[in-house]
Amino acid sequence: MARQVAAATSGSSRNRGVLMLAAVFGILSALLMFAFLSSRGGDTANDTTFVGGAAESVVVVTRNVNVGERVTSDMLGLKSYPAGALLIGHVASKDIASLVGKVATAPLFEGEQVIIAKVSTYEGQNTLAWKIPDGMRALALVVTHEAWIVAGLPQPGDRVDVLAITTLMRTDPLTGQERPDVVAGYLAQDVQVLALAQSLVKTVPNLDSKKVTADGTVTTGGSAAVITSSKPGETGDTFEKSISITLALPPDLAAKVALVDAMTDGTGQWRILSRQKGDSQPVTGTLTWSYDDLFPAKKK
């Protein structure tokens, strides 16, 4: 019986010894791994070699960047990723300067890898040619009255309809007499406003070199200074108001609108009808009207 107790005690001691040795080897392994990572001189979280290849330093954004926002140097930073976690089109650390000045074409979120597909040089893309939808043509119309373009309130990107009003002469086949034939009708529907320009240009004399001659005459030298303002009625005797609206139209409808625009105001006019945001439904039913429709009781 004593031998059995001694054997059990000896086996328990050996098990404790094995566990202690395993713990010591585990600690030594951890210390060796830490020493190895420290010898590489990098951050242990970012520079560790994972399955998929060695880590690589790439460009990331240090804050959220909105679409259309220009990238500056303070928005960019570097971060190491294992090869298997690198995104297609990522930018290496050596190319970080090439991103400064580009424009974000998609949202970028803090800590995200910058990829080439999400930025653009935007060179020349702020011109009108880049804003015209596929298959459309840009047609600019000079507006003689603000009421024609809803008091100038539509903004680029809004959707509008184009209504035409023409006053042509019609000959009565029975009497041979001519009478006005006034017709209003839709020329185009749900078209995009590409640009709206309304500026007041005023010229005032440049008085910087004002001189008084011997006989008391005041003369001015130099050219006139041209300034722009957002409202009329400011100091100055003359002013010019220039209002234009540019629409994106299919080629055939652009030709029709241009024909009406080429008429004198007494013969042909057009009107812009603003649409509610998100309304793309076509106008159905009657699309043209005349004086006979306005006063049906007078029809003969």
Side-chain angles (χ1 to χ4, degrees):
M1 183 69 178
R3 284 196 299 270
Q4 291 178 350
V5 172
T9 303
S10 176
S12 178
S13 299
R14 283 197 299 271
N15 289 339
R16 285 197 297 271
V18 171
L19 291 175
M20 291 179 65
L21 285 174
V24 170
F25 282 124
I27 294 172
L28 288 174
S29 298
L31 291 173
L32 289 172
M33 179 60 73
F34 179 78
F36 169 72
L37 295 176
S38 298
S39 67
R40 300 182 63 192
D43 180 76
T44 57
N46 291 331
D47 289 342
T48 304
T49 300
F50 294 89
V51 176
E56 181 180 340
S57 181
V58 298
V59 181
V60 298
V61 286
T62 57
R63 67 170 180 82
N64 293 346
V65 181
N66 298 320
V67 175
E69 194 171 356
R70 193 171 296 278
V71 177
T72 57
S73 58
D74 61 307
M75 299 178 184
L76 305 175
L78 300 176
K79 188 174 182 180
S80 293
Y81 284 92
L86 295 177
L87 299 179
I88 298 175
H90 68 272
V91 180
S93 57
K94 63 182 179 64
D95 298 321
I96 187 171
S98 67
L99 296 174
V100 176
K102 291 188 176 182
V103 174
T105 58
L108 297 170
F109 301 98
E110 182 178 351
E112 179 183 348
Q113 296 179 46
V114 180
I115 59 175
I116 296 299
K118 287 192 174 184
V119 293
S120 169
T121 58
Y122 211 68
E123 185 175 352
Q125 295 180 34
N126 57 345
T127 62
L128 178 64
W130 288 90
K131 302 180 184 300
I132 302 174
D134 291 342
M136 299 292 178
R137 300 294 184 271
L139 176 67
L141 305 171
V142 175
V143 185
T144 55
H145 304 284
E146 283 187 348
W148 288 22
I149 54 172
V150 201
L153 296 176
Q155 297 298 310
D158 287 355
R159 313 291 297 192
V160 299
D161 296 339
V162 182
L163 185 74
I165 306 102
T166 58
T167 305
L168 304 176
M169 300 305 294
R170 182 171 64 180
T171 302
D172 190 317
L174 297 178
T175 64
Q177 295 180 339
E178 288 188 343
R179 67 183 183 90
D181 183 21
V182 182
V183 177
Y186 280 88
L187 286 183
Q189 299 184 39
D190 193 26
V191 299
Q192 182 182 7
V193 177
L194 293 177
L196 182 72
Q198 182 177 353
S199 62
L200 172 69
V201 180
K202 178 179 61 175
T203 61
V204 296
N206 184 349
L207 303 180
D208 292 342
S209 55
K210 182 174 66 173
K211 298 178 181 179
V212 180
T213 61
D215 60 359
T217 303
V218 178
T219 62
T220 59
S223 59
V226 180
I227 63 174
T228 58
S229 174
S230 59
K231 56 185 179 181
E234 297 181 354
T235 304
D237 296 331
T238 63
F239 65 90
E240 227 176 282
K241 185 162 61 174
S242 174
I243 306 173
S244 67
I245 188 169
T246 303
L247 305 176
L249 294 161
D252 58 333
L253 297 185
K256 292 180 180 180
V257 175
L259 281 173
V260 175
D261 186 56
M263 298 177 181
T264 61
D265 288 356
T267 304
Q269 300 179 14
W270 49 263
R271 298 289 190 277
I272 294 298
L273 309 179
S274 291
R275 282 179 169 250
Q276 185 184 47
K277 194 72 173 179
D279 178 14
S280 60
Q281 295 297 319
V283 178
T284 57
T286 303
L287 297 179
T288 59
W289 298 264
S290 66
Y291 272 160
D292 291 335
D293 298 306
L294 184 62
F295 305 110
K298 292 187 177 182
K299 287 185 178 180
K300 294 182 180 181

